[in-house]
Amino acid sequence: MKCTTSVSYSVLINGFNGEKFQPARGHRQGDPLSSFLFLLCEEGFLSLMRLAMKEERLKGVNASRSGPAVSHLLFANDCIWFGKASMRGASLFKEILGEYGCCSGQQVNFKKSIIFFNRNTSEANKQGVVNLLAV
């Protein structure tokens, strides 16, 4: 937070620096620091995912028989998580998200989240996961 609350700006007017000022609202979307801060925070989340995989609590999915297991993919500020569609798997995701949220102050917007299931997933498992994660 020190990085985002201690910044000051100066506007160049006709080739001359204007007076310095500090933003009153803190860090905002579009700030050049946004991407870096997102990646820095995301590293904490990824550490929790890697730990769960190392402890074999999270399995991920394999794209091929000999390929590595993939538990997540990141693109800009979006995440895709892969896991077993079960109450245990959903509880683990919820636990990881809860721990990450407590540490970072960031929360998943479940209203903007979507779950996709493998066609072999039973309706009971689908409904249990959807209800547990409130997606």
Side-chain angles (χ1 to χ4, degrees), residues 103-120:
C103 293
S104 70
Q106 295 180 326
Q107 299 294 321
V108 171
N109 185 344
F110 286 104
K111 291 180 181 178
K112 290 183 174 182
S113 299
I114 298 173
I115 292 181
F116 295 98
F117 293 98
N118 180 299
R119 65 176 175 244
N120 298 326

Side-chain angles (χ1 to χ4, degrees), residues 121-132:
T121 305
S122 72
E123 286 301 319
N125 277 358
K126 288 180 185 179
Q127 197 59 48
V129 169
V130 166
N131 291 339
L132 180 67

Side-chain angles (χ1 to χ4, degrees), residues 10-83:
S10 176
V11 179
L12 194 63
I13 303 171
N14 295 327
F16 297 100
N17 282 331
E19 287 186 40
K20 287 186 179 183
F21 62 93
Q22 289 185 302
R25 293 187 162 179
H27 180 66
R28 305 203 52 193
Q29 187 172 350
D31 190 303
L33 200 52
S34 291
S35 300
F36 177 72
L37 289 175
F38 175 78
L39 291 173
L40 188 63
C41 290
E42 201 64 24
E43 189 58 38
F45 170 73
L46 297 179
S47 293
L48 294 171
M49 295 289 283
R50 281 191 292 268
L51 180 62
M53 286 194 72
K54 183 178 180 182
E55 294 173 346
E56 297 184 0
R57 297 185 304 142
L58 178 66
K59 302 287 185 208
V61 295
N62 295 79
S64 68
R65 290 179 194 213
S66 60
V70 177
S71 64
H72 57 277
L73 295 174
L74 304 175
F75 178 76
N77 62 346
D78 290 322
C79 302
I80 301 173
W81 302 315
F82 300 97

